[in-house]
Short mmCIF file of all heavy atoms in Angstrom, two decimals:
data_model
loop_
_atom_site.label_atom_id
_atom_site.label_comp_id
_atom_site.label_asym_id
_atom_site.label_seq_id
_atom_site.Cartn_x
_atom_site.Cartn_y
_atom_site.Cartn_z
N ILE R 1166 46.39 43.22 86.99
CA ILE R 1166 47.48 42.40 87.51
C ILE R 1166 48.38 43.22 88.44
O ILE R 1166 48.75 42.78 89.52
CB ILE R 1166 48.31 41.81 86.36
CG1 ILE R 1166 47.42 40.99 85.44
CG2 ILE R 1166 49.44 40.94 86.93
CD1 ILE R 1166 46.75 39.80 86.10
N HIS R 1167 48.73 44.44 88.00
CA HIS R 1167 49.57 45.33 88.79
C HIS R 1167 48.77 46.61 89.05
O HIS R 1167 48.77 47.53 88.23
CB HIS R 1167 50.87 45.67 88.04
CG HIS R 1167 51.71 44.47 87.74
ND1 HIS R 1167 52.32 43.73 88.72
CD2 HIS R 1167 52.05 43.88 86.56
CE1 HIS R 1167 53.00 42.74 88.17
NE2 HIS R 1167 52.85 42.81 86.86
N PRO R 1168 48.07 46.69 90.19
CA PRO R 1168 47.16 47.81 90.44
C PRO R 1168 47.86 49.16 90.44
O PRO R 1168 48.96 49.31 90.98
CB PRO R 1168 46.59 47.50 91.83
CG PRO R 1168 46.92 46.08 92.11
CD PRO R 1168 48.09 45.72 91.29
N VAL R 1169 47.20 50.15 89.82
CA VAL R 1169 47.71 51.52 89.74
C VAL R 1169 46.68 52.45 90.36
O VAL R 1169 45.49 52.39 90.03
CB VAL R 1169 47.99 51.93 88.28
CG1 VAL R 1169 48.47 53.38 88.22
CG2 VAL R 1169 49.02 51.00 87.65
N ILE R 1170 47.12 53.33 91.26
CA ILE R 1170 46.21 54.26 91.93
C ILE R 1170 45.79 55.37 90.98
O ILE R 1170 46.62 55.95 90.28
CB ILE R 1170 46.88 54.85 93.19
CG1 ILE R 1170 47.06 53.75 94.24
CG2 ILE R 1170 46.05 55.98 93.78
CD1 ILE R 1170 47.79 54.21 95.48
N ALA R 1171 44.50 55.68 90.97
CA ALA R 1171 43.95 56.70 90.08
C ALA R 1171 44.08 58.08 90.74
O ALA R 1171 43.09 58.66 91.19
CB ALA R 1171 42.50 56.39 89.76
N SER R 1172 45.30 58.58 90.80
CA SER R 1172 45.55 59.90 91.37
C SER R 1172 46.53 60.64 90.47
O SER R 1172 47.56 60.08 90.07
CB SER R 1172 46.13 59.79 92.79
OG SER R 1172 46.50 61.06 93.27
N LYS R 1173 46.23 61.89 90.15
CA LYS R 1173 47.10 62.68 89.27
C LYS R 1173 48.20 63.40 90.04
O LYS R 1173 49.18 63.84 89.44
CB LYS R 1173 46.25 63.70 88.51
CG LYS R 1173 45.24 63.09 87.55
CD LYS R 1173 44.45 64.16 86.81
CE LYS R 1173 43.45 63.55 85.84
NZ LYS R 1173 42.66 64.59 85.12
N ASN R 1174 48.03 63.55 91.35
CA ASN R 1174 49.01 64.28 92.15
C ASN R 1174 50.17 63.38 92.56
O ASN R 1174 49.97 62.20 92.85
CB ASN R 1174 48.35 64.86 93.40
CG ASN R 1174 47.27 65.87 93.06
OD1 ASN R 1174 47.42 66.65 92.13
ND2 ASN R 1174 46.17 65.84 93.79
N PRO R 1175 51.39 63.89 92.58
CA PRO R 1175 52.55 63.07 92.97
C PRO R 1175 52.46 62.67 94.44
O PRO R 1175 51.98 63.44 95.28
CB PRO R 1175 53.75 64.00 92.72
CG PRO R 1175 53.18 65.38 92.79
CD PRO R 1175 51.78 65.28 92.26
N PRO R 1176 52.93 61.46 94.78
CA PRO R 1176 52.87 61.02 96.18
C PRO R 1176 53.95 61.68 97.02
O PRO R 1176 54.94 62.20 96.50
CB PRO R 1176 53.12 59.51 96.06
CG PRO R 1176 53.97 59.38 94.84
CD PRO R 1176 53.49 60.44 93.89
N MET R 1177 53.76 61.65 98.32
CA MET R 1177 54.76 62.14 99.27
C MET R 1177 55.46 60.93 99.88
O MET R 1177 54.82 59.93 100.22
CB MET R 1177 54.10 62.98 100.36
CG MET R 1177 55.09 63.58 101.35
SD MET R 1177 54.29 64.75 102.50
CE MET R 1177 53.94 66.10 101.36
N ASP R 1178 56.78 60.99 99.99
CA ASP R 1178 57.56 59.86 100.49
C ASP R 1178 57.58 59.84 102.03
O ASP R 1178 57.81 60.87 102.67
CB ASP R 1178 58.99 59.93 99.98
CG ASP R 1178 59.09 59.64 98.49
OD1 ASP R 1178 58.17 58.99 97.97
OD2 ASP R 1178 60.06 60.08 97.86
N PHE R 1179 57.34 58.65 102.58
CA PHE R 1179 57.52 58.44 104.02
C PHE R 1179 58.89 57.81 104.22
O PHE R 1179 59.28 56.90 103.49
CB PHE R 1179 56.42 57.52 104.56
CG PHE R 1179 56.47 57.34 106.04
CD1 PHE R 1179 56.30 58.41 106.89
CD2 PHE R 1179 56.67 56.08 106.60
CE1 PHE R 1179 56.34 58.25 108.28
CE2 PHE R 1179 56.71 55.91 107.97
CZ PHE R 1179 56.55 57.00 108.82
N TYR R 1180 59.63 58.28 105.22
CA TYR R 1180 61.05 57.92 105.37
C TYR R 1180 61.27 56.47 105.78
O TYR R 1180 62.33 55.91 105.52
CB TYR R 1180 61.72 58.84 106.38
CG TYR R 1180 61.08 58.81 107.75
CD1 TYR R 1180 61.45 57.87 108.69
CD2 TYR R 1180 60.11 59.74 108.09
CE1 TYR R 1180 60.86 57.84 109.94
CE2 TYR R 1180 59.52 59.72 109.34
CZ TYR R 1180 59.89 58.78 110.27
OH TYR R 1180 59.30 58.75 111.50
N GLU R 1181 60.31 55.84 106.44
CA GLU R 1181 60.51 54.47 106.92
C GLU R 1181 60.08 53.49 105.82
O GLU R 1181 58.93 53.51 105.37
CB GLU R 1181 59.70 54.20 108.18
CG GLU R 1181 59.93 52.83 108.80
CD GLU R 1181 61.25 52.72 109.55
OE1 GLU R 1181 62.03 53.69 109.53
OE2 GLU R 1181 61.50 51.67 110.15
N PRO R 1182 60.97 52.59 105.37
CA PRO R 1182 60.61 51.67 104.28
C PRO R 1182 59.73 50.51 104.76
O PRO R 1182 59.52 50.31 105.95
CB PRO R 1182 61.97 51.15 103.81
CG PRO R 1182 62.84 51.24 105.02
CD PRO R 1182 62.37 52.44 105.78
N LEU R 1183 59.22 49.78 103.79
CA LEU R 1183 58.50 48.53 104.04
C LEU R 1183 59.41 47.37 103.69
O LEU R 1183 60.19 47.45 102.73
CB LEU R 1183 57.23 48.45 103.20
CG LEU R 1183 56.16 49.52 103.40
CD1 LEU R 1183 55.03 49.32 102.39
CD2 LEU R 1183 55.61 49.49 104.81
N ASP R 1184 59.33 46.29 104.44
CA ASP R 1184 60.07 45.08 104.09
C ASP R 1184 59.27 44.25 103.10
O ASP R 1184 58.06 44.06 103.25
CB ASP R 1184 60.35 44.25 105.36
CG ASP R 1184 61.45 44.86 106.21
OD1 ASP R 1184 62.42 45.38 105.63
OD2 ASP R 1184 61.33 44.83 107.45
N HIS R 1185 59.96 43.77 102.08
CA HIS R 1185 59.35 42.96 101.02
C HIS R 1185 59.93 41.55 101.13
O HIS R 1185 61.03 41.28 100.66
CB HIS R 1185 59.68 43.59 99.67
CG HIS R 1185 58.78 43.16 98.57
ND1 HIS R 1185 59.08 43.33 97.24
CD2 HIS R 1185 57.57 42.56 98.60
CE1 HIS R 1185 58.11 42.86 96.50
NE2 HIS R 1185 57.18 42.38 97.29
N LEU R 1186 59.20 40.65 101.78
CA LEU R 1186 59.70 39.32 102.09
C LEU R 1186 59.15 38.32 101.09
O LEU R 1186 58.05 37.80 101.24
CB LEU R 1186 59.29 38.93 103.53
CG LEU R 1186 59.64 39.96 104.61
CD1 LEU R 1186 59.16 39.49 105.97
CD2 LEU R 1186 61.14 40.24 104.62
N GLN R 1187 59.96 38.03 100.08
CA GLN R 1187 59.47 37.22 98.97
C GLN R 1187 59.96 35.77 98.98
O GLN R 1187 59.43 34.94 98.27
CB GLN R 1187 59.88 37.87 97.65
CG GLN R 1187 59.41 39.30 97.56
CD GLN R 1187 59.76 39.93 96.25
OE1 GLN R 1187 59.08 39.69 95.27
NE2 GLN R 1187 60.81 40.70 96.21
N GLY R 1188 60.98 35.46 99.73
CA GLY R 1188 61.47 34.09 99.74
C GLY R 1188 62.52 33.87 98.67
O GLY R 1188 62.79 34.73 97.83
N GLY R 1189 63.10 32.68 98.66
CA GLY R 1189 64.28 32.41 97.86
C GLY R 1189 64.07 32.25 96.36
O GLY R 1189 65.02 32.26 95.61
N LYS R 1190 62.83 32.09 95.89
CA LYS R 1190 62.61 31.86 94.46
C LYS R 1190 61.64 32.89 93.91
O LYS R 1190 60.68 32.57 93.23
CB LYS R 1190 62.09 30.45 94.21
CG LYS R 1190 63.08 29.35 94.60
CD LYS R 1190 62.51 27.98 94.27
CE LYS R 1190 63.51 26.88 94.61
NZ LYS R 1190 62.99 25.53 94.30
N TYR R 1191 61.94 34.15 94.19
CA TYR R 1191 61.01 35.24 93.89
C TYR R 1191 60.51 35.25 92.45
O TYR R 1191 59.33 35.06 92.20
CB TYR R 1191 61.69 36.58 94.22
CG TYR R 1191 61.07 37.75 93.55
CD1 TYR R 1191 59.73 38.05 93.74
CD2 TYR R 1191 61.80 38.56 92.70
CE1 TYR R 1191 59.15 39.12 93.13
CE2 TYR R 1191 61.23 39.64 92.09
CZ TYR R 1191 59.90 39.93 92.31
OH TYR R 1191 59.34 40.99 91.69
N LYS R 1192 61.40 35.45 91.51
CA LYS R 1192 60.95 35.61 90.13
C LYS R 1192 60.40 34.32 89.54
O LYS R 1192 59.58 34.33 88.64
CB LYS R 1192 62.08 36.17 89.27
CG LYS R 1192 62.12 37.70 89.23
CD LYS R 1192 60.85 38.25 88.64
CE LYS R 1192 60.81 39.76 88.63
NZ LYS R 1192 59.56 40.30 88.08
N MET R 1193 60.84 33.17 90.06
CA MET R 1193 60.27 31.92 89.59
C MET R 1193 58.81 31.82 90.03
O MET R 1193 57.94 31.39 89.28
CB MET R 1193 61.07 30.74 90.15
CG MET R 1193 62.49 30.65 89.63
SD MET R 1193 62.57 30.49 87.83
CE MET R 1193 63.40 32.02 87.40
N ARG R 1194 58.53 32.25 91.24
CA ARG R 1194 57.17 32.19 91.74
C ARG R 1194 56.29 33.26 91.11
O ARG R 1194 55.08 33.14 91.09
CB ARG R 1194 57.15 32.35 93.28
CG ARG R 1194 57.79 31.18 94.00
CD ARG R 1194 57.51 31.22 95.49
NE ARG R 1194 58.27 32.28 96.14
CZ ARG R 1194 57.70 33.38 96.64
NH1 ARG R 1194 56.41 33.56 96.53
NH2 ARG R 1194 58.45 34.30 97.23
N ARG R 1195 56.90 34.33 90.62
CA ARG R 1195 56.14 35.41 90.02
C ARG R 1195 55.93 35.22 88.52
O ARG R 1195 55.31 36.06 87.89
CB ARG R 1195 56.89 36.73 90.24
CG ARG R 1195 56.74 37.35 91.60
CD ARG R 1195 55.43 38.10 91.75
NE ARG R 1195 55.27 39.09 90.71
CZ ARG R 1195 55.74 40.33 90.80
NH1 ARG R 1195 56.38 40.73 91.88
NH2 ARG R 1195 55.54 41.19 89.82
N SER R 1196 56.43 34.13 87.94
CA SER R 1196 56.41 34.00 86.49
C SER R 1196 54.99 34.03 85.93
O SER R 1196 54.74 34.62 84.88
CB SER R 1196 57.12 32.70 86.07
OG SER R 1196 56.49 31.58 86.64
#
Side-chain angles (χ1 to χ4, degrees):
I1166 302 298
H1167 299 294
V1169 178
I1170 293 176
S1172 174
K1173 295 181 180 179
N1174 297 321
M1177 183 172 289
D1178 290 337
F1179 184 62
Y1180 58 86
E1181 184 76 356
L1183 299 176
D1184 286 321
H1185 199 196
L1186 309 178
Q1187 305 183 79
K1190 296 183 178 180
Y1191 160 58
K1192 270 299 178 181
M1193 294 301 116
R1194 292 192 288 110
R1195 280 280 305 273
S1196 59

